[in-house]
Amino acid sequence: MTLLVRRWRKIMQAKEFVTILATMPKKENYQGLYIEDAFVTAIKIDQKGDFVFIAEKNKAPLTIKDLLIALMTNKSRELYYWQDNHKQKIYGIKEKDAKIIL
């Protein structure tokens, strides 16, 4: 089990997430992006222009390739995830058992 935690003092931006993904060890074949135990299935842009990661039941997981394309084409957006009917700030990520967890 590998545990990698990266945290910022401010809300993470897409360009910072791209940097983390690009510098993560290549020894793992990552299974995807997670909010706790649920696959992230979509990224939506809210009315403020922020990226919001969403985990929806019975939907296909977002691929790492699609994640990178979205992040790289919108580098200045702040990152959030949707949980318990609220938009939550992302300050960092962790990597555990080939999963990237918000």
Side-chain angles (χ1 to χ4, degrees):
M1 174 180 77
T2 305
L3 180 62
L4 172 68
V5 178
R6 309 243 177 145
R7 294 200 175 266
W8 272 253
R9 294 181 190 258
K10 59 184 177 105
I11 299 170
M12 185 182 290
Q13 289 186 331
K15 63 184 169 188
E16 295 161 337
F17 200 179
V18 169
T19 301
I20 290 170
L21 292 173
T23 60
M24 288 177 86
K26 303 295 183 211
K27 64 183 178 185
E28 293 284 350
N29 187 14
Y30 295 104
Q31 298 175 12
L33 184 62
Y34 289 77
I35 299 171
E36 293 184 357
D37 291 328
F39 274 114
V40 169
T41 57
I43 301 174
K44 298 192 178 177
I45 299 173
D46 69 4
Q47 65 275 15
K48 288 181 150 184
D50 299 324
F51 265 177
V52 182
F53 293 96
I54 300 171
E56 299 171 300
K57 293 182 181 179
N58 302 321
K59 297 240 177 154
L62 184 69
T63 66
I64 297 295
K65 178 183 174 185
D66 290 339
L67 170 65
L68 280 170
I69 291 169
L71 293 171
M72 290 173 68
T73 56
N74 296 276
K75 291 183 179 182
S76 64
R77 296 191 189 275
E78 290 187 338
L79 304 180
Y80 296 82
Y81 64 93
W82 190 258
Q83 187 177 43
D84 299 327
N85 295 318
H86 292 87
K87 187 168 97 168
Q88 308 289 330
K89 299 173 185 175
I90 297 176
Y91 292 105
I93 63 164
K94 61 184 174 181
E95 180 253 338
K96 183 179 177 186
D97 299 329
K99 297 177 182 178
I100 301 168
I101 304 168
L102 300 174

PDB file of all heavy atoms in Angstrom, residues 25-47:
ATOM      1  N   PRO A  25       4.478   8.575  -9.151  1.00  0.00           N
ATOM      2  CA  PRO A  25       5.254   7.410  -9.581  1.00  0.00           C
ATOM      3  C   PRO A  25       4.506   6.599 -10.642  1.00  0.00           C
ATOM      4  O   PRO A  25       3.304   6.384 -10.540  1.00  0.00           O
ATOM      5  CB  PRO A  25       5.412   6.588  -8.299  1.00  0.00           C
ATOM      6  CG  PRO A  25       5.124   7.531  -7.188  1.00  0.00           C
ATOM      7  CD  PRO A  25       4.215   8.573  -7.729  1.00  0.00           C
ATOM      8  N   LYS A  26       5.223   6.176 -11.648  1.00  0.00           N
ATOM      9  CA  LYS A  26       4.618   5.427 -12.764  1.00  0.00           C
ATOM     10  C   LYS A  26       4.491   3.933 -12.461  1.00  0.00           C
ATOM     11  O   LYS A  26       3.979   3.191 -13.271  1.00  0.00           O
ATOM     12  CB  LYS A  26       5.447   5.611 -14.037  1.00  0.00           C
ATOM     13  CG  LYS A  26       5.627   7.044 -14.441  1.00  0.00           C
ATOM     14  CD  LYS A  26       4.316   7.691 -14.821  1.00  0.00           C
ATOM     15  CE  LYS A  26       4.573   9.113 -15.279  1.00  0.00           C
ATOM     16  NZ  LYS A  26       3.506  10.021 -15.005  1.00  0.00           N
ATOM     17  N   LYS A  27       4.930   3.511 -11.288  1.00  0.00           N
ATOM     18  CA  LYS A  27       4.882   2.079 -10.961  1.00  0.00           C
ATOM     19  C   LYS A  27       3.453   1.570 -10.780  1.00  0.00           C
ATOM     20  O   LYS A  27       3.195   0.392 -10.890  1.00  0.00           O
ATOM     21  CB  LYS A  27       5.711   1.778  -9.724  1.00  0.00           C
ATOM     22  CG  LYS A  27       5.187   2.444  -8.469  1.00  0.00           C
ATOM     23  CD  LYS A  27       6.060   2.175  -7.288  1.00  0.00           C
ATOM     24  CE  LYS A  27       5.489   2.922  -6.090  1.00  0.00           C
ATOM     25  NZ  LYS A  27       6.299   2.837  -4.931  1.00  0.00           N
ATOM     26  N   GLU A  28       2.532   2.469 -10.490  1.00  0.00           N
ATOM     27  CA  GLU A  28       1.140   2.083 -10.278  1.00  0.00           C
ATOM     28  C   GLU A  28       0.330   2.237 -11.555  1.00  0.00           C
ATOM     29  O   GLU A  28       0.567   3.146 -12.330  1.00  0.00           O
ATOM     30  CB  GLU A  28       0.492   2.961  -9.193  1.00  0.00           C
ATOM     31  CG  GLU A  28       1.041   2.755  -7.808  1.00  0.00           C
ATOM     32  CD  GLU A  28       0.552   1.489  -7.141  1.00  0.00           C
ATOM     33  OE1 GLU A  28      -0.369   0.827  -7.670  1.00  0.00           O
ATOM     34  OE2 GLU A  28       1.104   1.148  -6.098  1.00  0.00           O
ATOM     35  N   ASN A  29      -0.611   1.353 -11.748  1.00  0.00           N
ATOM     36  CA  ASN A  29      -1.598   1.492 -12.811  1.00  0.00           C
ATOM     37  C   ASN A  29      -2.867   1.983 -12.115  1.00  0.00           C
ATOM     38  O   ASN A  29      -3.634   1.193 -11.591  1.00  0.00           O
ATOM     39  CB  ASN A  29      -1.830   0.164 -13.518  1.00  0.00           C
ATOM     40  CG  ASN A  29      -2.722   0.309 -14.728  1.00  0.00           C
ATOM     41  OD1 ASN A  29      -2.972   1.419 -15.193  1.00  0.00           O
ATOM     42  ND2 ASN A  29      -3.210  -0.807 -15.229  1.00  0.00           N
ATOM     43  N   TYR A  30      -3.053   3.301 -12.085  1.00  0.00           N
ATOM     44  CA  TYR A  30      -4.115   3.885 -11.291  1.00  0.00           C
ATOM     45  C   TYR A  30      -5.493   3.486 -11.792  1.00  0.00           C
ATOM     46  O   TYR A  30      -5.763   3.482 -12.984  1.00  0.00           O
ATOM     47  CB  TYR A  30      -3.969   5.410 -11.255  1.00  0.00           C
ATOM     48  CG  TYR A  30      -2.713   5.808 -10.532  1.00  0.00           C
ATOM     49  CD1 TYR A  30      -1.598   6.248 -11.230  1.00  0.00           C
ATOM     50  CD2 TYR A  30      -2.633   5.697  -9.154  1.00  0.00           C
ATOM     51  CE1 TYR A  30      -0.430   6.580 -10.548  1.00  0.00           C
ATOM     52  CE2 TYR A  30      -1.475   6.023  -8.475  1.00  0.00           C
ATOM     53  CZ  TYR A  30      -0.372   6.468  -9.186  1.00  0.00           C
ATOM     54  OH  TYR A  30       0.773   6.777  -8.513  1.00  0.00           O
ATOM     55  N   GLN A  31      -6.369   3.137 -10.853  1.00  0.00           N
ATOM     56  CA  GLN A  31      -7.715   2.677 -11.166  1.00  0.00           C
ATOM     57  C   GLN A  31      -8.658   3.829 -11.456  1.00  0.00           C
ATOM     58  O   GLN A  31      -9.708   3.622 -12.043  1.00  0.00           O
ATOM     59  CB  GLN A  31      -8.267   1.858 -10.004  1.00  0.00           C
ATOM     60  CG  GLN A  31      -7.481   0.615  -9.718  1.00  0.00           C
ATOM     61  CD  GLN A  31      -7.993  -0.087  -8.473  1.00  0.00           C
ATOM     62  OE1 GLN A  31      -9.054   0.222  -7.947  1.00  0.00           O
ATOM     63  NE2 GLN A  31      -7.231  -1.036  -7.985  1.00  0.00           N
ATOM     64  N   GLY A  32      -8.331   5.022 -11.014  1.00  0.00           N
ATOM     65  CA  GLY A  32      -9.200   6.150 -11.271  1.00  0.00           C
ATOM     66  C   GLY A  32      -9.198   7.141 -10.128  1.00  0.00           C
ATOM     67  O   GLY A  32      -8.456   7.013  -9.163  1.00  0.00           O
ATOM     68  N   LEU A  33     -10.069   8.119 -10.271  1.00  0.00           N
ATOM     69  CA  LEU A  33     -10.213   9.182  -9.293  1.00  0.00           C
ATOM     70  C   LEU A  33     -11.443   8.878  -8.439  1.00  0.00           C
ATOM     71  O   LEU A  33     -12.490   8.502  -8.965  1.00  0.00           O
ATOM     72  CB  LEU A  33     -10.377  10.513 -10.028  1.00  0.00           C
ATOM     73  CG  LEU A  33     -10.461  11.775  -9.207  1.00  0.00           C
ATOM     74  CD1 LEU A  33      -9.176  11.995  -8.413  1.00  0.00           C
ATOM     75  CD2 LEU A  33     -10.708  12.972 -10.114  1.00  0.00           C
ATOM     76  N   TYR A  34     -11.305   9.058  -7.132  1.00  0.00           N
ATOM     77  CA  TYR A  34     -12.366   8.689  -6.195  1.00  0.00           C
ATOM     78  C   TYR A  34     -12.720   9.837  -5.261  1.00  0.00           C
ATOM     79  O   TYR A  34     -11.866  10.646  -4.913  1.00  0.00           O
ATOM     80  CB  TYR A  34     -11.922   7.516  -5.311  1.00  0.00           C
ATOM     81  CG  TYR A  34     -11.825   6.204  -6.024  1.00  0.00           C
ATOM     82  CD1 TYR A  34     -10.748   5.917  -6.850  1.00  0.00           C
ATOM     83  CD2 TYR A  34     -12.811   5.242  -5.869  1.00  0.00           C
ATOM     84  CE1 TYR A  34     -10.655   4.693  -7.504  1.00  0.00           C
ATOM     85  CE2 TYR A  34     -12.723   4.017  -6.521  1.00  0.00           C
ATOM     86  CZ  TYR A  34     -11.645   3.751  -7.334  1.00  0.00           C
ATOM     87  OH  TYR A  34     -11.555   2.555  -7.981  1.00  0.00           O
ATOM     88  N   ILE A  35     -13.970   9.856  -4.839  1.00  0.00           N
ATOM     89  CA  ILE A  35     -14.428  10.639  -3.704  1.00  0.00           C
ATOM     90  C   ILE A  35     -14.770   9.589  -2.659  1.00  0.00           C
ATOM     91  O   ILE A  35     -15.737   8.842  -2.826  1.00  0.00           O
ATOM     92  CB  ILE A  35     -15.669  11.496  -4.040  1.00  0.00           C
ATOM     93  CG1 ILE A  35     -15.343  12.493  -5.149  1.00  0.00           C
ATOM     94  CG2 ILE A  35     -16.179  12.206  -2.786  1.00  0.00           C
ATOM     95  CD1 ILE A  35     -16.559  13.235  -5.684  1.00  0.00           C
ATOM     96  N   GLU A  36     -13.936   9.482  -1.645  1.00  0.00           N
ATOM     97  CA  GLU A  36     -14.009   8.397  -0.670  1.00  0.00           C
ATOM     98  C   GLU A  36     -13.953   7.068  -1.423  1.00  0.00           C
ATOM     99  O   GLU A  36     -12.960   6.782  -2.061  1.00  0.00           O
ATOM    100  CB  GLU A  36     -15.220   8.546   0.239  1.00  0.00           C
ATOM    101  CG  GLU A  36     -15.118   9.758   1.137  1.00  0.00           C
ATOM    102  CD  GLU A  36     -16.253   9.880   2.120  1.00  0.00           C
ATOM    103  OE1 GLU A  36     -17.186   9.059   2.103  1.00  0.00           O
ATOM    104  OE2 GLU A  36     -16.198  10.835   2.915  1.00  0.00           O
ATOM    105  N   ASP A  37     -15.024   6.256  -1.402  1.00  0.00           N
ATOM    106  CA  ASP A  37     -14.995   4.953  -2.069  1.00  0.00           C
ATOM    107  C   ASP A  37     -15.716   4.940  -3.411  1.00  0.00           C
ATOM    108  O   ASP A  37     -15.853   3.889  -4.028  1.00  0.00           O
ATOM    109  CB  ASP A  37     -15.630   3.882  -1.163  1.00  0.00           C
ATOM    110  CG  ASP A  37     -14.764   3.600   0.052  1.00  0.00           C
ATOM    111  OD1 ASP A  37     -13.532   3.708  -0.068  1.00  0.00           O
ATOM    112  OD2 ASP A  37     -15.314   3.275   1.112  1.00  0.00           O
ATOM    113  N   ALA A  38     -16.198   6.076  -3.873  1.00  0.00           N
ATOM    114  CA  ALA A  38     -16.981   6.126  -5.112  1.00  0.00           C
ATOM    115  C   ALA A  38     -16.153   6.720  -6.249  1.00  0.00           C
ATOM    116  O   ALA A  38     -15.455   7.718  -6.071  1.00  0.00           O
ATOM    117  CB  ALA A  38     -18.236   6.964  -4.892  1.00  0.00           C
ATOM    118  N   PHE A  39     -16.250   6.091  -7.419  1.00  0.00           N
ATOM    119  CA  PHE A  39     -15.593   6.609  -8.614  1.00  0.00           C
ATOM    120  C   PHE A  39     -16.125   7.992  -8.960  1.00  0.00           C
ATOM    121  O   PHE A  39     -17.332   8.227  -8.892  1.00  0.00           O
ATOM    122  CB  PHE A  39     -15.926   5.736  -9.838  1.00  0.00           C
ATOM    123  CG  PHE A  39     -15.044   4.556 -10.039  1.00  0.00           C
ATOM    124  CD1 PHE A  39     -15.551   3.278  -9.910  1.00  0.00           C
ATOM    125  CD2 PHE A  39     -13.716   4.718 -10.407  1.00  0.00           C
ATOM    126  CE1 PHE A  39     -14.753   2.170 -10.131  1.00  0.00           C
ATOM    127  CE2 PHE A  39     -12.911   3.623 -10.629  1.00  0.00           C
ATOM    128  CZ  PHE A  39     -13.426   2.349 -10.490  1.00  0.00           C
ATOM    129  N   VAL A  40     -15.239   8.886  -9.384  1.00  0.00           N
ATOM    130  CA  VAL A  40     -15.679  10.150  -9.973  1.00  0.00           C
ATOM    131  C   VAL A  40     -16.155   9.829 -11.380  1.00  0.00           C
ATOM    132  O   VAL A  40     -15.461   9.162 -12.147  1.00  0.00           O
ATOM    133  CB  VAL A  40     -14.533  11.193 -10.005  1.00  0.00           C
ATOM    134  CG1 VAL A  40     -14.904  12.389 -10.854  1.00  0.00           C
ATOM    135  CG2 VAL A  40     -14.183  11.628  -8.595  1.00  0.00           C
ATOM    136  N   THR A  41     -17.367  10.274 -11.696  1.00  0.00           N
ATOM    137  CA  THR A  41     -17.957   9.957 -12.999  1.00  0.00           C
ATOM    138  C   THR A  41     -18.069  11.161 -13.916  1.00  0.00           C
ATOM    139  O   THR A  41     -18.273  11.003 -15.116  1.00  0.00           O
ATOM    140  CB  THR A  41     -19.361   9.348 -12.814  1.00  0.00           C
ATOM    141  OG1 THR A  41     -20.168  10.271 -12.081  1.00  0.00           O
ATOM    142  CG2 THR A  41     -19.289   8.021 -12.069  1.00  0.00           C
ATOM    143  N   ALA A  42     -17.929  12.369 -13.367  1.00  0.00           N
ATOM    144  CA  ALA A  42     -18.086  13.569 -14.191  1.00  0.00           C
ATOM    145  C   ALA A  42     -17.394  14.763 -13.551  1.00  0.00           C
ATOM    146  O   ALA A  42     -17.179  14.808 -12.347  1.00  0.00           O
ATOM    147  CB  ALA A  42     -19.569  13.890 -14.372  1.00  0.00           C
ATOM    148  N   ILE A  43     -17.056  15.715 -14.418  1.00  0.00           N
ATOM    149  CA  ILE A  43     -16.591  17.029 -13.969  1.00  0.00           C
ATOM    150  C   ILE A  43     -17.564  18.031 -14.567  1.00  0.00           C
ATOM    151  O   ILE A  43     -17.817  18.012 -15.770  1.00  0.00           O
ATOM    152  CB  ILE A  43     -15.183  17.366 -14.484  1.00  0.00           C
ATOM    153  CG1 ILE A  43     -14.162  16.342 -14.036  1.00  0.00           C
ATOM    154  CG2 ILE A  43     -14.774  18.762 -14.010  1.00  0.00           C
ATOM    155  CD1 ILE A  43     -12.790  16.556 -14.647  1.00  0.00           C
ATOM    156  N   LYS A  44     -18.109  18.871 -13.723  1.00  0.00           N
ATOM    157  CA  LYS A  44     -19.028  19.900 -14.203  1.00  0.00           C
ATOM    158  C   LYS A  44     -18.470  21.271 -13.836  1.00  0.00           C
ATOM    159  O   LYS A  44     -17.780  21.416 -12.844  1.00  0.00           O
ATOM    160  CB  LYS A  44     -20.408  19.702 -13.612  1.00  0.00           C
ATOM    161  CG  LYS A  44     -21.011  18.375 -14.036  1.00  0.00           C
ATOM    162  CD  LYS A  44     -22.448  18.228 -13.728  1.00  0.00           C
ATOM    163  CE  LYS A  44     -22.912  16.873 -14.260  1.00  0.00           C
ATOM    164  NZ  LYS A  44     -24.262  16.585 -13.953  1.00  0.00           N
ATOM    165  N   ILE A  45     -18.783  22.245 -14.644  1.00  0.00           N
ATOM    166  CA  ILE A  45     -18.388  23.614 -14.363  1.00  0.00           C
ATOM    167  C   ILE A  45     -19.614  24.321 -13.802  1.00  0.00           C
ATOM    168  O   ILE A  45     -20.658  24.359 -14.442  1.00  0.00           O
ATOM    169  CB  ILE A  45     -17.865  24.311 -15.629  1.00  0.00           C
ATOM    170  CG1 ILE A  45     -16.632  23.560 -16.147  1.00  0.00           C
ATOM    171  CG2 ILE A  45     -17.534  25.768 -15.330  1.00  0.00           C
ATOM    172  CD1 ILE A  45     -16.127  24.042 -17.482  1.00  0.00           C
ATOM    173  N   ASP A  46     -19.485  24.839 -12.572  1.00  0.00           N
ATOM    174  CA  ASP A  46     -20.630  25.497 -11.942  1.00  0.00           C
ATOM    175  C   ASP A  46     -20.759  26.952 -12.396  1.00  0.00           C
ATOM    176  O   ASP A  46     -19.980  27.429 -13.228  1.00  0.00           O
ATOM    177  CB  ASP A  46     -20.566  25.368 -10.415  1.00  0.00           C
ATOM    178  CG  ASP A  46     -19.441  26.164  -9.771  1.00  0.00           C
ATOM    179  OD1 ASP A  46     -18.725  26.901 -10.476  1.00  0.00           O
ATOM    180  OD2 ASP A  46     -19.284  26.056  -8.539  1.00  0.00           O
ATOM    181  N   GLN A  47     -21.733  27.660 -11.846  1.00  0.00           N
ATOM    182  CA  GLN A  47     -22.007  29.041 -12.257  1.00  0.00           C
ATOM    183  C   GLN A  47     -20.856  29.994 -11.942  1.00  0.00           C
ATOM    184  O   GLN A  47     -20.730  31.044 -12.562  1.00  0.00           O
ATOM    185  CB  GLN A  47     -23.320  29.564 -11.652  1.00  0.00           C
ATOM    186  CG  GLN A  47     -23.327  29.684 -10.152  1.00  0.00           C
ATOM    187  CD  GLN A  47     -23.688  28.400  -9.425  1.00  0.00           C
ATOM    188  OE1 GLN A  47     -23.675  27.320 -10.008  1.00  0.00           O
ATOM    189  NE2 GLN A  47     -23.998  28.500  -8.147  1.00  0.00           N
TER     190      GLN A  47
END
